[in-house]
């Protein structure tokens, strides 16, 4: 849509979004690049898509609507069928007695407006909106289909072609292939996967019980029952998932691992499949990996203040190790991928050895561990070091051999990134020494240890409250209140005269977006820099507690302190922080 640039300038200057001298410079740049001013404003990141749509609405004299927090009734949304809404970026959001209000990206799409006018025989009132609003509304179509998903599963499972399973009689591979290709089974598996992606699940658990098949989704780190299927569906669903992930259909006695990939709404999604024999049949766990989950930044992951500065300083080094510590599922790999993305420039050669490759990244040479043929982390790292790398990422340091190779790699002029399973940043150092690393080599190579957990984020519907004296005393058992207050005042999230009695905190409130008041997750971190004092302590063989005490004296914010920091900002609740960070 072409918008008068004089009017556009007037809007942005009047609203104070851009200063006049800055706008004039952007006009000159637009002429050099042979672009419109609108294109240059967006490409330079000076305005958001929503800002631009507001400006267009102002110029055209039309109302602008933001639907991202709007609750649209399904009866109104479904006035425009999903295919038309998706293809023409138009959604119905309000119905009046003699008109329907529609939000759209291009109000000059007269053909679509004319079609809707003829179909409904009422006035169609166009309203300008932004891309985020349209995406949100399109997701509502799918959420409203949840009940229909359940209907599909109940109907299809009732019409399954059963293969008799007699005790002690094995099914042939041909029988299992036929069952896997059965239309009802395909529909059920496709529905389970689509529903899991829609819900934002990280894992699907398919668990055989004595009389049923239980399906659970892990959403924001918590396992939740999704549905219970008839026991008769188990053989077919297992066979279908094995066919998709290229596993042996007739092998039920030993665990198997496989992978498959699909494209869902232009998003590539990879699935890692694990099967395990149990008393009532094979249990299947499917890990969901969204391959093009890009656009992460350290700030979006939850890093801030001194910890963020320390990490940026560590990333500027040309040798040494940066470790991410924490239990499985705490977001360590995502943090390392984000660091890699920031380091990924044409001047450096980056190689990784991973198990599994979770995200595919451009210009990075990624290798998959295959232990069955001898391709372990240690052997893979040996091979990578002969490939002239500048930066190496090792998926996990889990044995002395890999630890030794990682230390030697960083001694010989490489930056090494890796993960390690410990509960705290300070705990990673004794763990390394337990694996056989020499302390004098460790102090020469280890630069930064990040420890992290993931906490659930509160939705916008949350209840504000202040702490009681009893609650303040309870928190005091875990953190130094004065030290924590200094952190918050220094980072300007509370006023200099704030007290613990008047700082607002928040509780989750059940709402239409979330049954428990939480949606999405955020990282809480501690960033330990191995400085001169900590190096001396490593050489003396100090404990993890002593190292942590020194790191805190040097200004490190611990994970629980970072969690309280997030709670004060209203991002999460104190209860969620204590649930995740168990001392």
């Amino acid at each position: 849509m072409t918008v008068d640039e004089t009017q556009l300038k007037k809007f942005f200057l009047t609203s104070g979004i851009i200063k006049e001298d800055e706008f004039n410079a952007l006009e000159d740049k637009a002429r050099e690049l042979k672009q419109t001013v609108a294109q240059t404003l967006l490409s330079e990141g000076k305005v958001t898509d929503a800002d631009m749509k507001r400006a267009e609405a102002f110029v055209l004299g039309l109302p602008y609507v933001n639907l991202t927090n709007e609750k649209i009734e399904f009866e109104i949304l479904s006035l425009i069928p999903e295919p038309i809404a998706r293809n023409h970026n138009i959604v119905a959001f309000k119905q009046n007695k003699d008109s329907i209000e529609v939000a759209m990206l291009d109000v000059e799409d007269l053909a679509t407006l004319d079609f809707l006018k003829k179909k409904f025989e009422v006035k169609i009132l166009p309203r300008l909106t932004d891309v985020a609003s349209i995406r949100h509304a399109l997701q509502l179509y799918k959420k409203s289909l949840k009940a229909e998903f359940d209907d599909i599963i109940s109907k299809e499972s009732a019409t399954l072609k059963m293969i008799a399973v007699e005790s002690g009689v094995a099914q042939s591979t041909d029988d299992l292939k036929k069952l896997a290709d059965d239309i009802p089974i395909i529909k059920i598996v496709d529905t389970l996967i689509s529903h899991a992606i829609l819900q934002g699940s990280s894992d699907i658990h398919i668990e055989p019980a004595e009389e049923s098949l239980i399906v659970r989704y892990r959403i924001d780190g918590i396992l939740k029952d999704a549905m219970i299927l008839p026991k008769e569906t188990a053989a077919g669903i297992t066979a279908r998932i094995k066919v998709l992930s290229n596993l042996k259909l007739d092998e039920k006695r030993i665990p198997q691992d496989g992978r498959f990939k699909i494209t869902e709404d232009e998003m590539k999604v990879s699935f890692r499949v694990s099967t395990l024999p149990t008393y009532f049949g094979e249990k299947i766990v499917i890990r969901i990996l969204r391959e093009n989950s890009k656009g992460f930044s350290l700030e979006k992951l939850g890093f801030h203040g001194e910890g963020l500065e320390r990490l940026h300083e560590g990333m500027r080094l040309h040798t040494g190790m940066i470790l991410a510590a924490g239990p499985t599922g705490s977001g360590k790999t995502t943090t390392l991928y984000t660091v890699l993305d920031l380091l990924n420039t044409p001047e450096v050669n980056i190689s990784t050895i991973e198990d599994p490759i979770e995200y595919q990244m451009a210009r990075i040479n990624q290798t998959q561990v295959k232990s069955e043929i001898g391709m372990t982390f240690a052997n893979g790292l040996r091979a990578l070091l002969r490939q002239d790398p500048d930066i190496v990422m090792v998926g996990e340091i889990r044995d002395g051999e890999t630890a030794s190779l990682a230390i030697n790699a960083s001694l010989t002029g490489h930056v090494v990134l890796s993960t390690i399973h410990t509960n705290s940043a300070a705990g990673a150092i004794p763990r390394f020494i337990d694996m056989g690393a020499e302390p004098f080599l460790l102090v020469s190579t280890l630069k930064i240890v990040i420890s992290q957990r993931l906490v659930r984020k509160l939705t916008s519907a949350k209840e504000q409250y202040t702490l009681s004296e009893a609650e303040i005393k309870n928190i005091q058992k875990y953190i130094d209140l004065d030290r924590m207050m200094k952190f918050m005042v220094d980072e300007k999230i509370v006023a200099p005269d704030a007290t613990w009695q008047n700082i607002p905190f928040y509780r989750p409130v059940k709402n239409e977006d979330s049954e428990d008041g939480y949606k999405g997750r955020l990282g809480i971190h501690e960033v330990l820099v191995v400085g001169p004092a900590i190096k001396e302590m490593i050489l003396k063989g100090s404990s993890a507690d002593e190292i942590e005490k020194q790191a805190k004296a040097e200004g490190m914010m611990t994970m629980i302190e970072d969690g309280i920091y997030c709670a004060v900002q209203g991002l999460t609740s104190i209860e969620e922080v204590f649930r995740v960070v168990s001392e």
Side-chain angles (χ1 to χ4, degrees):
M1 184 191 303
T2 307
V3 179
D4 181 71
E5 293 190 351
T6 308
Q7 293 289 327
L8 201 65
K9 184 174 184 177
K10 182 182 175 183
F11 173 83
F12 284 124
L13 295 183
T14 306
S15 60
I17 293 172
I18 302 176
K19 293 178 181 174
E20 188 167 4
D21 55 347
E22 195 175 8
F23 198 98
N24 292 338
L26 286 163
E27 282 181 315
D28 294 338
K29 187 161 190 176
R31 281 192 288 273
E32 283 174 31
L33 298 172
K34 295 181 181 176
Q35 291 180 335
T36 64
V37 174
Q39 287 171 327
T40 306
L41 285 168
L42 287 168
S43 63
E44 291 288 309
K46 299 299 180 185
V47 299
T48 64
D49 177 60
D51 290 333
M52 188 58 71
K53 290 297 179 186
R54 281 192 185 91
E56 286 179 15
F58 167 78
V59 171
L60 295 168
L62 284 171
Y64 167 83
V65 292
N66 183 339
L67 302 178
T68 50
N69 295 315
E70 286 284 322
K71 186 183 177 185
I72 306 171
E73 296 295 332
F74 187 60
E75 294 76 29
I76 297 169
L77 187 72
S78 58
L79 289 171
I80 300 176
E82 186 185 1
I84 292 173
R86 193 174 289 280
N87 291 334
H88 296 275
N89 290 311
I90 181 169
V91 290
F93 68 95
K94 192 180 284 186
Q95 188 173 24
N96 308 309
K97 192 175 180 182
D98 59 349
S99 64
I100 297 170
E101 292 185 47
V102 296
M104 54 199 305
L105 295 182
D106 182 6
V107 291
E108 291 180 353
D109 185 358
L110 301 177
T112 304
L113 290 171
D114 194 44
F115 164 79
L116 295 175
K117 188 177 178 182
K118 286 176 182 172
K119 180 179 177 181
F120 297 113
E121 297 180 346
V122 293
K123 286 182 186 173
I124 303 296
L125 305 176
R127 307 288 185 246
L128 205 60
T129 192
D130 55 79
V131 172
S133 289
I134 290 289
R135 282 183 184 155
H136 169 75
L138 292 175
Q139 284 296 315
L140 295 179
Y141 277 99
K142 287 192 172 182
K143 285 182 181 175
S144 303
L145 295 174
K146 180 182 183 296
E148 289 184 32
F149 278 178
D150 294 343
D151 286 346
I152 288 170
I153 285 172
S154 59
K155 285 174 189 171
E156 298 298 348
S157 61
T159 60
L160 278 175
K161 299 171 190 170
M162 302 300 174
I163 293 179
V165 182
E166 297 175 19
S167 179
V169 178
Q171 292 164 297
S172 72
T173 303
D174 287 342
D175 283 344
L176 288 167
K177 276 183 181 171
K178 282 177 190 171
L179 191 52
D181 292 336
D182 201 15
I183 297 298
I185 283 290
I186 292 172
K187 280 188 181 177
I188 288 173
V189 173
D190 287 352
T191 301
L192 289 176
I193 290 170
S194 296
H195 197 178
I197 294 170
L198 172 66
Q199 297 275 322
S201 310
S202 60
D203 301 84
I204 306 171
H205 289 238
I206 301 170
E207 303 168 346
E210 187 172 8
E211 300 294 338
S212 60
L213 188 69
I214 300 164
V215 180
R216 299 195 286 170
Y217 294 152
R218 189 176 292 280
I219 301 169
D220 295 335
I222 308 290
L223 268 176
K224 297 178 180 178
D225 282 359
M227 54 203 72
I228 296 174
L229 301 175
K231 178 73 172 177
E232 292 77 17
T233 62
I237 288 172
T238 302
R240 178 65 188 161
I241 292 168
K242 283 184 173 182
V243 165
L244 288 172
S245 44
N246 203 24
L247 300 178
K248 292 179 182 175
L249 286 174
D250 57 346
E251 182 56 83
K252 301 177 183 179
R253 300 163 301 163
I254 59 172
Q256 295 188 73
D257 294 299
R259 292 175 76 97
F260 66 96
K261 193 182 291 189
I262 65 168
T263 301
E264 173 89 2
D265 290 340
E266 299 179 5
M267 176 173 69
K268 287 183 182 175
V269 184
S270 197
F271 301 88
R272 195 173 85 216
V273 177
S274 170
T275 71
L276 180 73
T278 68
Y279 187 77
F280 293 115
E282 286 181 280
K283 179 188 173 183
I284 296 174
V285 176
I286 304 173
R287 167 65 57 90
I288 302 171
L289 306 167
R290 292 158 181 82
E291 288 190 359
N292 38 1
S293 297
K294 291 181 183 173
F296 283 127
S297 66
L298 293 172
E299 290 84 354
K300 280 185 184 175
L301 294 180
F303 288 94
H304 59 88
E306 185 74 18
L308 180 63
E309 286 299 315
R310 290 175 170 195
L311 189 47
H312 276 302
E313 282 173 24
M315 286 163 56
R316 285 194 280 271
L317 301 172
H318 296 294
T319 61
M321 275 196 295
I322 298 175
L323 291 181
T328 302
S330 59
K332 303 185 298 295
T333 307
T334 301
T335 297
L336 290 189
Y337 273 122
T338 305
V339 170
L340 275 185
D341 198 32
L342 294 169
L343 295 172
N344 188 8
T345 61
E347 295 81 35
V348 295
N349 174 23
I350 303 178
S351 295
T352 74
I353 177 81
E354 305 172 58
D355 183 24
I357 296 171
E358 292 197 17
Y359 308 117
Q360 291 175 354
M361 301 183 74
R363 300 180 69 93
I364 291 181
N365 311 292
Q366 296 173 270
T367 305
Q368 168 79 46
V369 163
K370 288 194 176 86
S371 52
E372 65 273 15
I373 58 169
M375 184 62 161
T376 60
F377 278 120
N379 290 337
L381 182 51
R382 275 195 194 89
L384 291 190
L385 294 175
R386 294 193 288 272
Q387 291 277 312
D388 185 32
D390 298 293
I391 299 167
V392 174
M393 184 176 100
V394 185
E396 184 188 337
I397 293 174
R398 56 172 73 146
D399 56 54
E401 189 180 11
T402 312
S404 174
L405 283 164
I407 288 172
N408 285 325
S410 50
L411 279 171
T412 52
H414 304 91
V415 173
V416 178
L417 309 178
S418 191
T419 69
I420 190 166
H421 286 273
T422 59
N423 288 327
S424 66
I429 293 166
R431 175 80 182 109
F432 243 93
I433 293 167
D434 285 345
M435 286 192 286
E438 294 288 352
F440 72 93
L441 292 177
L442 195 57
V443 297
S444 306
T445 54
L446 188 58
K447 305 298 181 187
I448 285 182
V449 186
I450 307 154
S451 186
Q452 65 182 77
R453 299 287 189 281
L454 295 175
V455 293
R456 291 179 294 165
K457 290 167 71 176
L458 290 167
T459 61
S460 55
K462 54 194 172 190
E463 179 190 353
Q464 185 176 310
Y465 72 102
T466 52
L467 297 175
S468 66
E469 288 301 324
E471 286 170 323
I472 292 170
K473 280 183 182 175
N474 189 41
I475 291 173
Q476 197 168 9
K477 294 175 188 174
Y478 301 96
I479 61 169
D480 180 331
L481 296 181
D482 293 336
R483 170 184 152 89
M484 187 70 231
M485 184 64 77
K486 185 176 185 306
F487 276 134
M488 296 189 296
V489 170
D490 288 348
E491 293 206 24
K492 298 184 172 128
I493 65 162
V494 298
D497 59 349
T499 64
W500 284 100
Q501 285 79 6
N502 63 24
I503 291 174
F505 286 85
Y506 300 86
R507 292 191 185 98
V509 174
K510 185 177 178 179
N511 56 79
E512 64 269 9
D513 283 337
S514 171
E515 291 178 2
D516 52 16
Y518 295 100
K519 191 172 185 182
R521 287 193 288 177
L522 173 78
I524 56 173
H525 310 86
E526 55 190 31
V527 181
L528 185 151
V529 176
V530 182
I534 290 176
K535 286 180 181 180
E536 286 293 326
M537 296 178 80
I538 294 170
L539 292 171
K540 286 178 189 171
S542 299
S543 69
D545 288 343
E546 290 168 328
I547 292 170
E548 182 170 303
K549 188 177 178 182
Q550 177 60 33
K552 285 169 74 173
E554 292 176 6
M556 180 184 84
M557 187 184 280
T558 64
M559 256 186 302
I560 197 158
E561 289 169 340
D562 197 22
I564 300 295
Y565 176 95
C566 291
V568 169
Q569 290 183 299
L571 300 172
T572 190
S573 65
I574 289 180
E575 292 78 11
E576 175 67 4
V577 172
F578 283 116
R579 181 188 72 81
V580 170
V581 187
S582 51
E583 293 294 322

